[in-house]
Amino acid sequence: WRYYNKLKEDGIVRNYADLLLYAAIIYSVDKYLGYVAPKPPSNILKEIAKNYAVEIVYIPLANFSSETLRKLRHFHVLGNRRLRSIAKDYII
């Protein structure tokens, strides 16, 4: 989060969603990265992903029913109890 302003000034990210995708690309240990959003990722993030040998799999929000979207919105990344203690370091 502390690099958000610099990344935004450099035109790498436009918003916090881009920042999360950027971090996911940088720290991904898998080849494929799922990205569910109303709009596809920017070309610059696609290029960064390519440089890190990560393929972004974009899935438009319009592909999901309202019930599925409700479930996605309630999905909690910190379901793992061990991660909860460090959540304050990453969540604004």
Side-chain angles (χ1 to χ4, degrees):
W1 298 113
R2 72 184 95 151
Y3 298 112
Y4 175 70
N5 290 332
K6 176 71 171 134
L7 291 169
K8 193 170 183 177
E9 286 172 12
D10 293 345
I12 295 172
V13 300
R14 300 167 291 191
N15 50 44
Y16 285 120
D18 281 356
L19 181 63
L20 285 172
L21 180 57
Y22 176 79
I25 292 166
I26 302 297
Y27 294 106
S28 179
V29 293
D30 297 316
K31 177 179 171 138
Y32 299 101
L33 182 63
Y35 182 66
V36 178
K39 296 180 181 178
S42 66
N43 288 335
I44 194 160
L45 287 174
K46 289 178 189 177
E47 192 62 33
I48 291 169
K50 185 177 175 182
N51 291 336
Y52 278 85
V54 172
E55 186 175 332
I56 301 170
V57 179
Y58 167 63
I59 305 168
L61 275 177
N63 286 4
F64 295 98
S65 69
S66 58
E67 177 62 20
T68 302
L69 287 175
R70 185 188 66 73
K71 290 177 183 177
L72 281 172
R73 287 186 182 109
H74 287 94
F75 173 75
H76 200 286
V77 200
L78 297 173
N80 185 328
R81 290 185 183 272
R82 293 181 298 140
L83 297 178
R84 291 179 189 167
S85 63
I86 62 168
K88 66 184 181 333
D89 299 330
Y90 300 96
I91 298 174
I92 297 176

